[in-house]
Amino acid sequence: MDTIAQSLSGTEAGQIYQNLPAHLQSIFLVVIVAMLVVTLFAFLVSGYLALRYVKYNRRQDSCGLNGEQVARRVLDSAGLSDIEVSKSGSLLFGNSYSHYFKKVRLRRRTIEKTSVASLGMGAQKASLAVLDREGDPDMKVRNKFAVIGMMGPIAFIPLLVVGAVLDIIINNGQGNVTLLACGIGIIFYVLAFVFQFRTLKTEKKAQDRACQILAANGMATDEEIRMLRKLFRLYNIEYINNMVLSMLEILYRALQIMAAVNGSGSKSSD
């Protein structure tokens, strides 16, 4: 641990470490190491997922339908002709379903290709719309808190900047408003983390529903269903890994606040 602490010297993390009480310094180092390990694991999982996706996206599906046609067939069979299937040109949305815009979005390579990967993505995102129309309780929660889930982590830095500016303008740079803004930012982080559980649950439900629909309608062979389940499993592992990273980042931010409070207290004493 001493070696890790020395390696952090001169960095933001090193400053936080120095300002923390002694009993929290070990916890901080554990969080730093865990973040590095999880980040490395995420890199490996993402790389393997990308390779698997490319492989399945090059394999022709047995039904001869592209992603758009698959999604449209799933939606129409459930009586959801009002749900649009559109091409997504946004990195933010990607392959997704929007409750508010009544739209299934598919990436260009997904919507146009007649591949096993496109088959799975089109059916799975359309199945989210089916769950939504059926009134699935997890989908209801997901729809209500979707904005917090997307914007929660992004809000942290703007809140910190606003808090710092207000501190300078109205609080003579004492740091109290900054700490308050940092605390509010962490609350958003926590809410986004809780929201991720619901999102994962609905994604898994839609994956199972998609496999059932494809099998029941003869749109995929048994082998293709097995391939899709492997692909979905990798997506779920990546998602869980990102959730763990979010939790570790929450802990990091909380320790950052404690370090700021402890540092401010030390300066006041001096």
Side-chain angles (χ1 to χ4, degrees), residues 6 12 16 22 42 52 78 83 85 101 106 113 126 144 159 162 170 173 178 180 190 197 211 216 236 260:
Q6 291 174 3
E12 177 192 355
I16 295 172
R52 184 66 60 176
I83 303 295
V85 180
F101 293 101
L106 299 174
K113 293 206 70 171
K144 287 181 181 178
L159 282 170
V162 171
I170 66 175
T178 304
L180 177 62
V190 173
F197 280 103
C211 290
N236 294 340

Side-chain angles (χ1 to χ4, degrees), residues 22 26 44-45 72 87 91 143 148 153 170 177 179 232 249:
S26 296
L44 295 174
V45 170
R72 186 73 270 157
K87 184 185 297 183
L91 293 175
N143 294 335
I148 293 178
I170 66 175
V177 180
L179 290 176
F232 291 149
E249 191 161 3

Side-chain angles (χ1 to χ4, degrees), residues 135-194:
D136 181 81
D138 293 309
M139 278 299 298
K140 287 182 179 179
V141 174
R142 172 175 171 160
N143 294 335
K144 287 181 181 178
F145 298 101
V147 175
I148 293 178
M150 287 191 300
M151 303 304 296
I154 301 174
F156 186 83
I157 297 300
L159 282 170
L160 207 60
V161 171
V162 171
V165 171
L166 290 176
D167 254 329
I168 295 171
I169 295 174
I170 66 175
N171 208 26
N172 298 320
Q174 293 182 15
N176 296 330
V177 180
T178 304
L179 290 176
L180 177 62
C182 197
I184 295 172
I186 286 182
I187 291 174
F188 277 112
Y189 258 107
V190 173
L191 290 174
F193 179 70
V194 173

Side-chain angles (χ1 to χ4, degrees), residues 5-80:
Q6 291 174 3
S7 67
L8 295 177
S9 179
T11 65
E12 177 192 355
Q15 187 65 42
I16 295 172
Y17 174 80
Q18 292 174 3
N19 288 335
L20 281 171
H23 66 283
L24 291 178
Q25 288 181 340
S26 296
I27 296 176
F28 180 75
L29 292 179
V30 170
V31 170
I32 291 293
V33 172
M35 289 179 72
L36 291 174
V37 172
V38 174
T39 300
L40 176 60
F41 182 72
F43 177 77
L44 295 174
V45 170
S46 296
Y48 184 63
L49 173 59
L51 291 174
R52 184 66 60 176
Y53 182 86
V54 169
K55 178 181 178 180
Y56 291 165
N57 205 35
R58 289 176 177 173
R59 176 159 176 167
Q60 177 76 29
D61 61 38
S62 59
C63 65
L65 301 175
N66 61 29
E68 180 181 13
Q69 292 167 332
V70 170
R72 186 73 270 157
R73 183 170 294 190
V74 171
L75 293 170
D76 291 344
S77 65
L80 301 178

